[in-house]
Amino acid sequence: MLISDIMRTTLIKVRPEAPVGHVLIWYGGMAHVFRNTYVVDHCDRLLGVVTIHTFLSVIVPPSVTEEAKAGRLDGREDLLDALRRNMAAISETTVGSLMDCDHPFAHPEDLFVMASELIVEKGITALPVIDPNGVLVGEITRRMILHFLVQNL
């Protein structure tokens, strides 16, 4: 079974100059949660990946966490105010400045077990799938692989 037989083609793709604030607003309006935001050029060639983990680390920085742990944020509203101030400070940060340019990827003609091995080895949730020209054509996730295995074994 090839990756192309299992992968999905509905993805979040943005240009590197897209502001983080805009991407997060887009996330907030989505019914389905995507794990990766794919950064592509004008020809849809993959430049990098921004994971939900990366977004969380930027939205909830260590400084806010430390303030909360130290008891200096008194209650829910103080915590939310600190997070809102942080969001205002980072909202114009470009997605390109956050992307992982070395994120692993797969090809549509690879066997799905190769994607499974890479996902487990790297401890990631999803792999972008690119064609021979580097164009992003899909994504395969650990959940898709597990679903396929459960349905077919």
Side-chain angles (χ1 to χ4, degrees):
M1 179 69 57
L2 302 178
I3 289 174
S4 60
D5 298 322
I6 300 173
M7 71 181 193
R8 73 168 151 220
T9 57
T10 303
L11 309 168
I12 295 178
K13 298 188 281 188
V14 299
R15 300 283 186 268
E17 62 274 5
V20 166
H22 293 182
V23 175
L24 294 175
I25 288 169
W26 191 20
Y27 262 97
M30 300 177 98
H32 180 73
V33 176
F34 290 88
R35 287 167 179 66
N36 292 337
T37 296
Y38 296 104
V39 185
V40 297
D41 68 10
H42 67 285
C43 295
D44 273 356
R45 288 182 298 248
L46 182 66
L47 300 174
V49 177
V50 182
T51 65
I52 286 180
H53 290 110
T54 301
F55 279 131
L56 283 175
S57 70
V58 171
I59 296 168
V60 185
S63 59
V64 172
T65 303
E66 290 304 316
E67 290 286 310
K69 285 180 183 177
R72 290 189 287 271
L73 298 175
D74 188 27
R76 180 178 189 268
E77 283 308 311
D78 282 354
L79 177 59
L80 290 175
D81 284 344
L83 292 170
R84 287 182 189 113
R85 283 191 301 276
N86 183 62
M87 272 300 300
I90 65 163
S91 67
E92 294 301 316
T93 301
T94 64
V95 175
S97 69
L98 301 178
M99 71 182 178
D100 176 0
C101 298
D102 295 321
H103 195 83
F105 58 86
H107 298 285
E109 68 278 0
D110 292 343
L111 296 173
F112 82 92
V113 292
M114 295 167 67
S116 177
E117 177 183 49
L118 197 51
I119 286 170
V120 170
E121 176 186 311
K122 299 292 185 182
I124 56 178
T125 59
L127 280 174
V129 180
I130 62 171
D131 74 8
N133 297 316
V135 173
L136 180 65
V137 294
E139 170 186 73
I140 186 164
T141 68
R142 59 186 180 189
R143 181 170 285 151
M144 289 172 195
I145 295 168
L146 184 60
H147 179 76
F148 172 80
L149 291 171
V150 169
Q151 295 296 315
N152 290 283
L153 295 182

